[in-house]
Every structure is written in structure tokens, then in C-alpha cells.
Amino acid sequence: MNFAQENNSSSRLTGFGVVVLIHVLMAYALASGLAKKVVQAIAPIETKVIEEVKKPPPPVEKVVPPPPDMKAPPPPFIPPPEVQVTAPAPAPTISTQSQTPPPKADVHPAPPPAPVAAPAPAPRVGPKTAAMVCTKMGKPEVPSVNWSGRAEFKATATVKAGRVVSVELAVIRGASDRKAQRAMQNAISQALADTYECPGDHVFEQDFVFNIE
């Protein structure tokens, strides 16, 4: 009899049985675990009834009484007293009867009214001239220009403290040469500023005529 073969066959059976037992345990464990998961998945769903939150009632509005009427009461009505107006008695009529006619009065025509003298004309108020306010007046120098003819200007000068401080020139009859006209205007302004002495503060007008041949 071969004991070696029997030992090998028994050890194989033992190992086979252990393997089968392990597989059975693993299958059981898997089955039990899946069963729990299925039970958890099929567990009943809990439902809760949520009560609606009631809103608090609105605050009671305070009724403010209207302000008292501070107007003064109207004055009591007092009826006017009854006054009886009586019409005045008519004045007595006085009638006179004269037997003799009244004397005739001498009527003389009134003398004609005296002629009223016409009012004196008001003095003419016009611009002052240099002769009215100035004590010294010089003549402007005739400039040397390449032009001949007659030119007229009106100067309006402003005097402060006796001296001419500003001059405005108006051309009455100008020169055809602009350069000559400008030279004559400069001569007028220089003469007014340097040679005119007019005590006080004034505004006067003065005419200037140039005859250049």
C-alpha cells in the first residue's frame, strides 16, 4: 500500500474543501451586503408636513386727530338800528311885488386885457468851446506832407485839473492822402495836450482847419 499517495489525496481534499468554504463565505458575504443595500435603497421615504409660516398681522395705524381749528369765531351779528328819516319841510317861497321899476344901471364895457409878454427864450445850452474855459490856446503846427488842399477837424477834449487828458477827433473834411490826414490829427492832439491850459475840469469842442498849398 502506498501511503504517500493517500497523504497526497487527503491533503488535496482538505485544500479543495478550504477553497470551497472560502468561496461559500465570500458568496454569503456578497449576498448579505447586496441585500442590505437593496433594503436601504427600498427604505420608505419619510414625508413631513411643513406648516405655512403665518405672517404677523400688520401694525394698527394710529389715527391722528385733526388739529383744532384756531380761527376766531365770527363776531355776533348785530342788526343796525332802525332810523326813520324824515324829509325836510320845503322852504317858504318869498314873492315880492314892486310897483316901481328898478333904476337902470350904467353898463360900461370892460377894458381889453393887457397883452401878456412872451417869455424870454431859454439860453441855448450847447457844448463848451475852448475860448469859454481855456486861458491859453496854442495853434497846431502844420505838418510837412506831400498833399495840398483844405482839411477840417472837430476835436472833443476832456480836461482834468486844467490839462487836456484825452482827445476825440471827428473828420469834417478829410484829406485824400491818409498819411497827411494822420499827421494833421497828431498835430492837433499834441497842441491840445501841450499848449492848452483850462483851469478846472471841462469837456469842450474846438474846430481846426488846415489850408496846405
Side-chain angles (χ1 to χ4, degrees):
M1 188 172 185
N2 193 354
F3 291 100
Q5 291 180 356
E6 290 179 1
N7 291 333
N8 289 333
S9 61
S10 62
S11 62
R12 286 179 181 174
L13 290 173
T14 303
F16 181 74
V18 171
V19 171
V20 171
L21 180 60
I22 290 171
H23 283 76
V24 170
L25 291 174
M26 290 178 66
Y28 177 75
L30 291 171
S32 62
L34 292 172
K36 287 182 180 181
K37 289 183 178 179
V38 170
V39 171
Q40 291 178 359
I42 308 176
I45 301 171
E46 294 183 2
T47 58
K48 293 182 180 181
V49 178
I50 300 174
E51 296 182 359
E52 183 180 358
V53 179
K54 295 182 179 180
K55 296 181 180 180
V60 180
E61 296 182 358
K62 294 182 180 181
V63 179
V64 180
D69 191 2
M70 301 301 292
K71 295 181 179 179
F77 175 74
I78 300 175
E82 296 181 359
V83 179
Q84 294 181 356
V85 180
T86 57
T93 305
I94 301 174
S95 58
T96 58
Q97 295 179 359
S98 58
Q99 298 296 330
T100 58
K104 295 182 180 181
D106 295 334
V107 178
H108 299 284
V116 179
R124 182 180 178 184
V125 179
K128 296 179 182 179
T129 61
M132 298 170 62
V133 296
C134 298
T135 58
K136 184 178 179 182
M137 298 179 291
K139 293 183 179 181
E141 295 183 1
V142 179
S144 58
V145 293
N146 295 327
W147 176 82
S148 61
R150 179 185 176 89
E152 298 179 14
F153 303 92
K154 181 181 287 293
T156 302
T158 302
V159 180
K160 296 291 184 183
R163 288 291 180 181
V164 177
V165 295
S166 66
V167 178
E168 294 182 3
L169 291 174
V171 180
I172 299 175
R173 181 176 181 181
S176 58
D177 187 358
R178 296 297 180 185
K179 186 176 180 180
Q181 179 173 308
R182 193 178 305 111
M184 286 183 282
Q185 290 175 337
N186 293 335
I188 293 172
S189 299
Q190 187 174 0
L192 288 170
D194 296 343
T195 64
Y196 275 59
E197 294 180 3
C198 312
D201 298 340
H202 310 282
V203 176
F204 66 85
E205 293 182 354
Q206 182 71 358
D207 294 334
F208 295 90
V209 179
F210 290 89
N211 287 317
I212 300 176
E213 297 180 355

